[in-house]
Amino acid sequence: MAVTAQMVKELRAKTGAGMMDCKKALVETDGNMEAALDFLREKGLSSASKKADRIAAEGTTSILVKDNEAVIFEVNAETDFVAKNEGFQTLVKELGEHLITTKPATVEEANASTMSNGLTVADHISNAIAKIGEKITLRRFEVRTKSDADAFGPYLHMGGRISVLVVLENSTDSDAARDIAMHIAALNPKYVSRDEVSAEEVEHERKILTEQALNEGKPEKIVAKMVEGRLGKYFEDICLLDQAFVKNSDQKVRDFAASTGGSVKEFIRYEVGEGIEKREDNFADEVMSQVNKK
């Protein structure tokens, strides 16, 4: 069957693949559009596998809220440039809709789940890799459900470089919940309250503070009292409720939340690429390696 320009255009519109790749797929499959789609998908999967060893530490975090359900998630790519790509942003939206609808328990379960287009999440991402040309991964997500008496506080900073989701319990003040989320994005607390800090962590910090005080030459009889005071400052650094509220430094976050009639139940804070070991490429060494091959 003769392959026409219209057929190539149609296949390209459906797949986003290059014109020559579309023409080759149609030639290889004797003009069968469905077979050509499979051909390109297989090629996309092959391309994706070649990118598997690359480090995807850029990308975006995002939040989707629907009534009493919310999902916060991170999708990684290799470069910040691709993270701004329209195709990548579309993929992020599609993944958010799928996650909040199906509520998988793990990333593995999410990747194996079937989307509304009939593809698994893993295959859908692989197709996006074929079109976009970079390794892309669904790295993590959390799904939360609240009651009608509670409020979600979603906040995205710098277009998704940081995302925070707050659950404000026994208050429907979503603006206040968002303000608390903004505070968390800025100050990055580790815990909601002191109750969440393990006894081991507290004792470890107490030991360090004691040694610091003794090394400063403080009398032993006042060291214990000093340490407890400094431990209070440590809690202010790591516990949300003990922190001075960014929008009113005279007020603790605990008091701001209470002013709405509620309390902070939990928060989730994602920052793009945190914890991923990024490859440090040495450009000079790379050039020399290429020169030495010649």
Side-chain angles (χ1 to χ4, degrees):
M1 179 179 178
V3 174
T4 65
Q6 182 59 37
M7 292 167 65
V8 173
K9 182 179 179 181
E10 181 183 348
L11 184 58
R12 188 169 192 270
K14 289 182 177 180
T15 64
M19 295 290 283
M20 294 307 296
D21 286 333
C22 290
K23 182 177 180 180
K24 180 179 179 181
L26 287 163
V27 170
E28 290 286 336
T29 58
D30 196 27
N32 185 308
M33 188 64 67
E34 291 303 316
L37 284 167
D38 288 342
F39 179 92
L40 286 174
R41 184 180 166 201
E42 289 168 5
K43 181 179 179 181
L45 290 170
S46 175
S47 298
S49 66
K50 292 177 183 178
K51 297 175 176 66
D53 64 341
R54 297 184 186 177
I55 297 175
E58 296 297 332
T60 191
T61 63
S62 190
I63 301 171
L64 179 62
V65 176
K66 285 191 172 183
D67 300 323
N68 285 343
E69 297 177 330
V71 60
I72 179 171
F73 59 106
E74 179 179 358
V75 182
N76 294 131
E78 294 178 54
T79 65
D80 183 54
F81 177 77
V82 161
K84 296 179 174 65
N85 177 284
E86 184 178 350
F88 180 84
Q89 292 295 331
T90 297
L91 174 66
V92 170
K93 291 177 182 178
E94 291 168 342
L95 292 175
E97 290 284 352
H98 179 72
L99 291 170
I100 203 169
T101 300
T102 60
K103 302 177 187 60
T106 64
V107 171
E108 292 74 20
E109 185 178 315
N111 282 326
S113 62
T114 302
M115 301 182 69
S116 59
N117 61 7
L119 296 176
T120 65
V121 167
D123 285 348
H124 189 60
I125 292 175
S126 290
N127 283 350
I129 292 172
K131 297 176 187 178
I132 295 171
E134 282 194 6
K135 179 180 179 180
I136 300 170
T137 59
L138 171 62
R139 183 188 180 196
R140 53 182 172 166
F141 66 90
E142 297 278 350
V143 179
R144 291 294 182 268
T145 302
K146 70 173 185 65
S147 73
D148 289 336
D150 305 330
F152 281 134
Y155 176 74
L156 270 64
H157 182 66
M158 295 177 63
R161 292 296 300 178
I162 299 173
S163 289
V164 180
L165 178 65
V166 166
V167 181
L168 188 61
E169 199 170 34
N170 298 319
S171 172
T172 58
D173 193 336
S174 57
D175 289 337
R178 184 183 181 278
D179 285 343
I180 294 172
M182 181 177 65
H183 170 103
I184 293 166
L187 271 69
N188 194 17
K190 292 173 62 179
Y191 307 101
V192 173
S193 67
R194 300 186 184 195
D195 295 339
E196 296 179 359
V197 186
S198 70
E200 291 78 12
E201 182 174 348
V202 173
E203 191 53 40
H204 176 73
E205 188 63 22
R206 182 179 280 113
K207 182 178 179 181
I208 291 174
L209 293 173
T210 299
E211 289 299 320
Q212 286 178 351
L214 291 172
N215 290 336
E216 291 169 4
K218 306 297 183 183
E220 288 192 31
K221 61 181 180 180
I222 68 167
V223 164
K225 185 175 181 180
M226 287 183 59
V227 166
E228 291 310 307
R230 292 180 179 180
L231 198 57
K233 179 63 172 66
Y234 175 71
F235 284 129
E236 289 179 7
D237 289 339
I238 65 170
C239 298
L240 172 66
L241 299 183
D242 285 319
Q243 293 178 337
F245 187 38
V246 289
K247 297 188 75 172
N248 180 5
S249 59
D250 294 328
Q251 187 179 39
K252 298 286 188 183
V253 173
R254 173 188 292 103
D255 299 324
F256 174 71
S259 71
T260 72
S263 60
V264 179
K265 180 181 180 181
E266 66 174 324
F267 71 83
I268 304 163
R269 183 186 188 276
Y270 282 175
E271 186 167 348
V272 172
E274 60 187 343
I276 298 177
E277 185 176 348
K278 300 183 181 182
R279 181 183 292 121
E280 298 293 336
D281 292 324
N282 186 312
F283 183 70
D285 289 348
E286 182 180 336
V287 172
M288 287 305 298
S289 69
Q290 294 302 315
V291 169
N292 292 333
K293 288 179 181 179
K294 295 181 179 179

